[in-house]
Amino acid sequence: MEFREKLLKVDQVLNSDDTKALAFLCKDILKCDISSVESPIDLFKILEEKDDLSEDQPYLLADLLRVIEHFQLLRELDLNSTMSTTVNPITPYRKLLYELSKDIGQKELKKIKFLLTKDLQRSALELNVSTLEVFLEMERKDLLSSSNLLRLEQILKDVRPVLWKQILQFKDSQGKIAQETGLVDLRPRSSSDASRRGKDQTDPPPYPMKAQQRGICWIVNNFDFSRSSGKHKNREGTDIDEGRLSLVFRWLGFEVEVLPDATRDQMLSSMRELAGRDHSGMDCVACVVLSHGLEGGVYGVDGGKVRLKELTELLHGVRCPSLRGKPKLFFIQACQGNKKEQAVPVPANGTVNPKVHDQTDGPSGPGVNIQTDGPSSPVDICSDAVVASELLPSTADFLTAMATTPSHVSVRLEDKGSWFIQSLCKNLVQLVPQGQDLVSILTNVNDDVSKMFKRIGGCRQMPQHSSSLRTRVVFPVPEGRFNHKVTFDDFLGEESTV
């Protein structure tokens, strides 16, 4: 049976209640008002447009049918063994709410609506309003979210204690998964961690992170430089960086969009299109460029130069009003020149430690292939450099994190990806669940990368970030664990020295 025939079969079998259930389970994916979904076909069209459902990726369809317990349909469509090996798009939180709704009868729903009389509009409490619709209205009123189950706990404790215990078990299981993996720790480990979580009253409140969608993560991944007239080599290993970034930023709640092998004009055109969108329902935007670079800029695959200022200024408040007051985050994996960072001894207790090199050495085998993301000659740096002060615009709420300091190279390994992206992904996964803000996380990235060293070529690297943020960027703790089929060490690669 062809894939589209399978979708049509689902549409024919499922009833209106099933359709509402599917739309509810996909709410975090759709990022829109699900009331417009009147049939499974409506839902499938949206999911296909967002590249979340296709013949090559039927995992979401199989998972949806599995959750709503249409097992016979799963067998008929030969989807019974179809399982996703990547991040599951249906969040544990969304599944929990659906499971709770199945066990709430009409009498109990009537009591729930009574307890919510002062919180919700009368239209949301009418007799024909379902449990899932009540949950949606609670979310709209900020009474219910993945990080705020308290109100629902209080209600179910009075109405149906067994379901209240189900929420407690869910929270406990999520905490245990986090502790076992070491990736998500919902509790501060010390008083200093507590202050990082915003509990220190002297800290200003962080940027709001309460929108239904975190934002767009726009990734330019430039690999094939065959059109650059021999000025630049292909960037082996960049797909590893893209894969890591896509996994981590989706885990953080972003919608990832990748622009592969972009010329100068394509990069600017895509950024203009991004700036022209309505971001009013989002918390922030993240922009990542993986390419060859020069001081203060990057290269398109055609060899055309794009100053970082040309990219950032397109998101200024005047040009992109829906991002006013919201963080605009840039991460640039590219060289800023062809100089190699020099190592210097670090004084410890007034003395110089002569073994500083050996403490941070990476693999030293002759087969290691190190690449950089810079121009092919010093001439390119001298004639095309952009001064560092142009990295940040004069408007507020921008943060730019560079893989290296001005005039220096950044390291990328063919089989491991770049040092900077490795460390960025590792620290986001480890420190976001601890409540650390983004600038603090980037400081950890600086420390990580500064300790990395390769004997071949004597390569070292020092990332650098600059900011016009007005307060802290603190991402909410993502749902569940970081779900990836390989181990955390494999995910990071051997180049991590901490």
Side-chain angles (χ1 to χ4, degrees), residues 207 283-285 312-330 391-400 466-471 473:
Y207 286 97
D283 292 317
C284 58
V285 67
T312 58
E313 68 182 5
L314 291 172
L315 297 183
H316 284 189
V318 175
R319 297 193 176 189
C320 188
S322 61
L323 280 174
R324 290 175 186 171
K326 300 179 181 181
K328 293 161 278 285
L329 313 173
F330 283 77
L391 290 177
L392 270 180
S394 59
T395 53
D397 308 307
F398 279 82
L399 181 144
T400 302
S466 51
S467 164
S468 64
L469 297 175
R470 294 172 295 111
T471 186
V473 175

Coordinates of all heavy atoms in Angstrom, one line a residue, residues 207 283-285 312-330 391-400 466-471 473:
Y207 N 14.7 36.6 30.4 CA 13.7 36.8 29.3 C 12.6 35.8 29.4 O 12.8 34.6 29.8 CB 14.4 36.6 27.9 CG 15.4 37.7 27.5 CD1 16.7 37.6 27.7 CD2 14.9 38.8 26.9 CE1 17.6 38.6 27.3 CE2 15.7 39.8 26.5 CZ 17.1 39.7 26.7 OH 18.0 40.7 26.3
D283 N 9.6 32.7 21.6 CA 10.4 33.4 22.6 C 11.6 34.0 22.1 O 12.1 35.0 22.7 CB 10.8 32.3 23.6 CG 9.6 31.8 24.4 OD1 8.7 32.6 24.8 OD2 9.5 30.5 24.6
C284 N 12.2 33.5 21.0 CA 13.6 34.0 20.6 C 13.8 33.4 19.2 O 13.0 32.7 18.6 CB 14.6 33.6 21.6 SG 14.8 31.8 21.8
V285 N 15.0 33.6 18.7 CA 15.5 33.0 17.5 C 16.9 32.6 17.6 O 17.7 33.3 18.3 CB 15.3 34.0 16.3 CG1 16.2 35.2 16.4 CG2 15.5 33.3 14.9
T312 N 23.0 40.0 11.1 CA 22.4 40.5 12.4 C 21.5 41.7 12.2 O 20.4 41.8 12.8 CB 23.4 40.8 13.4 OG1 24.3 41.8 12.9 CG2 24.2 39.5 13.8
E313 N 21.9 42.6 11.3 CA 21.1 43.8 11.1 C 19.7 43.5 10.5 O 18.8 44.3 10.7 CB 21.8 44.9 10.3 CG 22.0 44.5 8.9 CD 22.8 45.6 8.2 OE1 23.3 46.5 8.8 OE2 23.0 45.5 6.9
L314 N 19.5 42.4 9.9 CA 18.2 42.0 9.3 C 17.2 41.7 10.4 O 16.0 41.7 10.1 CB 18.4 40.9 8.3 CG 19.1 41.2 7.0 CD1 19.4 39.9 6.2 CD2 18.3 42.2 6.2
L315 N 17.7 41.4 11.6 CA 16.8 41.1 12.7 C 16.7 42.3 13.7 O 16.1 42.1 14.7 CB 17.3 39.9 13.4 CG 17.4 38.6 12.7 CD1 17.8 37.4 13.5 CD2 16.1 38.2 12.0
H316 N 17.2 43.5 13.3 CA 17.0 44.6 14.1 C 15.5 44.9 14.3 O 14.7 44.5 13.5 CB 17.6 45.9 13.4 CG 19.1 45.9 13.6 ND1 19.9 47.0 13.2 CD2 20.0 45.0 14.0 CE1 21.2 46.7 13.4 NE2 21.2 45.5 13.9
G317 N 15.2 45.6 15.4 CA 13.8 45.9 15.7 C 13.0 46.6 14.6 O 11.8 46.4 14.4
V318 N 13.7 47.4 13.8 CA 13.0 48.1 12.7 C 12.6 47.2 11.6 O 11.5 47.3 11.1 CB 14.0 49.3 12.2 CG1 13.3 49.9 11.0 CG2 14.3 50.3 13.3
R319 N 13.5 46.2 11.3 CA 13.2 45.3 10.2 C 12.4 44.1 10.6 O 11.7 43.5 9.8 CB 14.5 44.9 9.6 CG 15.4 46.0 9.0 CD 16.5 45.4 8.1 NE 17.2 46.5 7.4 CZ 18.1 46.3 6.5 NH1 18.4 45.0 6.1 NH2 18.7 47.3 5.9
C320 N 12.5 43.7 11.9 CA 11.8 42.5 12.4 C 11.1 42.9 13.7 O 11.6 42.5 14.8 CB 12.8 41.4 12.6 SG 12.0 39.8 12.9
P321 N 10.0 43.6 13.7 CA 9.4 44.1 14.9 C 8.9 43.0 15.8 O 8.8 43.2 17.0 CB 8.2 44.9 14.4 CG 8.0 44.5 12.9 CD 9.4 44.1 12.4
S322 N 8.6 41.8 15.2 CA 8.0 40.7 16.1 C 9.1 40.1 17.0 O 8.8 39.3 17.8 CB 7.4 39.6 15.2 OG 8.3 39.0 14.3
L323 N 10.4 40.5 16.8 CA 11.4 40.0 17.6 C 12.0 41.1 18.6 O 13.0 40.9 19.3 CB 12.6 39.4 16.8 CG 12.4 38.0 16.3 CD1 13.6 37.6 15.3 CD2 12.3 37.0 17.4
R324 N 11.3 42.2 18.6 CA 11.7 43.3 19.5 C 11.6 42.8 21.0 O 10.6 42.2 21.4 CB 10.8 44.5 19.4 CG 11.0 45.2 18.0 CD 10.0 46.4 17.9 NE 10.1 47.0 16.6 CZ 9.2 47.9 16.1 NH1 8.2 48.2 16.9 NH2 9.4 48.4 14.9
G325 N 12.7 43.0 21.7 CA 12.7 42.7 23.1 C 13.0 41.2 23.4 O 13.0 40.7 24.5
K326 N 13.2 40.4 22.3 CA 13.4 39.0 22.4 C 14.9 38.7 22.0 O 15.5 39.3 21.2 CB 12.5 38.2 21.5 CG 11.0 38.4 21.8 CD 10.1 37.7 20.9 CE 8.7 37.9 21.2 NZ 7.7 37.1 20.3
P327 N 15.5 37.6 22.7 CA 16.9 37.3 22.4 C 17.0 36.8 20.9 O 16.2 36.1 20.4 CB 17.1 36.1 23.3 CG 16.1 36.2 24.4 CD 14.9 36.8 23.8
K328 N 18.1 37.3 20.3 CA 18.5 36.9 18.9 C 19.9 36.3 19.1 O 20.8 37.1 19.3 CB 18.4 38.1 18.0 CG 17.0 38.6 17.8 CD 16.9 40.0 17.3 CE 17.0 41.1 18.4 NZ 15.8 41.2 19.2
L329 N 20.0 35.0 18.9 CA 21.2 34.3 19.3 C 21.9 33.8 18.0 O 21.3 33.2 17.2 CB 20.8 33.1 20.2 CG 19.9 33.4 21.3 CD1 19.5 32.1 22.0 CD2 20.5 34.4 22.3
F330 N 23.2 34.2 17.9 CA 24.0 33.8 16.8 C 25.2 32.9 17.2 O 25.9 33.3 18.2 CB 24.5 35.0 16.0 CG 23.5 35.7 15.2 CD1 22.5 36.5 15.7 CD2 23.5 35.5 13.8 CE1 21.6 37.1 14.9 CE2 22.5 36.1 13.0 CZ 21.6 36.9 13.6
L391 N 30.7 43.1 14.9 CA 30.0 41.8 15.1 C 28.7 42.0 15.8 O 27.8 41.2 15.6 CB 30.9 40.9 16.0 CG 32.2 40.3 15.4 CD1 32.9 39.6 16.4 CD2 31.8 39.5 14.2
L392 N 28.5 43.1 16.6 CA 27.2 43.3 17.3 C 26.6 44.6 16.8 O 27.3 45.6 16.6 CB 27.5 43.4 18.8 CG 27.4 42.1 19.6 CD1 27.6 42.4 21.0 CD2 26.0 41.5 19.4
P393 N 25.3 44.6 16.5 CA 24.7 45.8 16.2 C 24.4 46.7 17.4 O 24.6 46.2 18.5 CB 23.3 45.4 15.6 CG 23.1 44.1 16.3 CD 24.4 43.4 16.5
S394 N 24.0 47.9 17.2 CA 23.8 48.8 18.3 C 22.5 48.5 19.1 O 22.3 49.0 20.2 CB 23.8 50.2 17.8 OG 22.7 50.4 16.9
T395 N 21.6 47.7 18.5 CA 20.3 47.5 19.2 C 20.5 46.4 20.2 O 21.5 45.6 20.2 CB 19.3 47.0 18.2 OG1 19.8 46.0 17.4 CG2 18.9 48.2 17.3
A396 N 19.5 46.2 21.1 CA 19.6 45.3 22.2 C 19.2 43.9 21.9 O 18.7 43.6 20.8 CB 18.7 45.8 23.4
D397 N 19.5 43.0 22.8 CA 19.0 41.6 22.8 C 19.7 40.7 21.8 O 19.1 39.7 21.4 CB 17.5 41.6 22.6 CG 16.7 42.5 23.5 OD1 16.9 42.4 24.7 OD2 16.0 43.4 23.0
F398 N 20.9 41.0 21.4 CA 21.7 40.2 20.5 C 22.8 39.5 21.3 O 23.4 40.1 22.3 CB 22.3 41.0 19.4 CG 21.4 41.2 18.3 CD1 20.5 42.3 18.3 CD2 21.4 40.5 17.1 CE1 19.7 42.6 17.2 CE2 20.6 40.7 16.0 CZ 19.7 41.8 16.1
L399 N 23.1 38.2 21.0 CA 24.3 37.5 21.5 C 24.9 36.8 20.3 O 24.2 36.2 19.5 CB 23.9 36.5 22.6 CG 25.0 35.7 23.2 CD1 24.8 35.5 24.7 CD2 25.3 34.4 22.5
T400 N 26.2 37.0 20.2 CA 27.0 36.4 19.1 C 28.1 35.6 19.8 O 28.9 36.1 20.5 CB 27.6 37.4 18.1 OG1 26.5 38.2 17.6 CG2 28.3 36.7 17.0
S466 N 30.0 37.8 22.5 CA 29.8 39.2 22.8 C 28.2 39.4 22.9 O 27.5 38.7 22.2 CB 30.4 40.1 21.8 OG 30.0 39.8 20.5
S467 N 27.8 40.3 23.7 CA 26.4 40.4 24.0 C 25.9 41.8 24.2 O 26.5 42.6 24.7 CB 26.1 39.6 25.2 OG 24.8 39.8 25.8
S468 N 24.6 42.0 23.7 CA 23.9 43.2 24.1 C 22.6 42.8 24.8 O 21.6 43.5 24.7 CB 23.6 44.1 22.9 OG 22.8 43.4 22.0
L469 N 22.6 41.6 25.4 CA 21.4 41.1 26.1 C 21.2 42.0 27.3 O 22.1 42.5 28.0 CB 21.7 39.7 26.6 CG 21.8 38.6 25.5 CD1 22.2 37.3 26.1 CD2 20.6 38.5 24.6
R470 N 19.9 42.2 27.6 CA 19.5 43.1 28.7 C 19.3 42.3 30.0 O 19.3 42.9 31.1 CB 18.3 43.9 28.4 CG 18.5 44.9 27.3 CD 17.2 45.5 26.9 NE 16.3 44.5 26.3 CZ 15.1 44.1 26.8 NH1 14.7 44.6 28.0 NH2 14.4 43.3 26.2
T471 N 19.2 41.0 29.9 CA 19.1 40.1 31.1 C 19.5 38.7 30.7 O 20.1 38.5 29.6 CB 17.6 40.1 31.6 OG1 17.6 39.4 32.8 CG2 16.6 39.6 30.6
V473 N 19.4 34.7 29.5 CA 18.6 33.8 28.7 C 18.7 32.4 29.4 O 19.7 31.8 29.5 CB 19.2 33.6 27.3 CG1 18.5 32.5 26.5 CG2 19.1 35.0 26.5

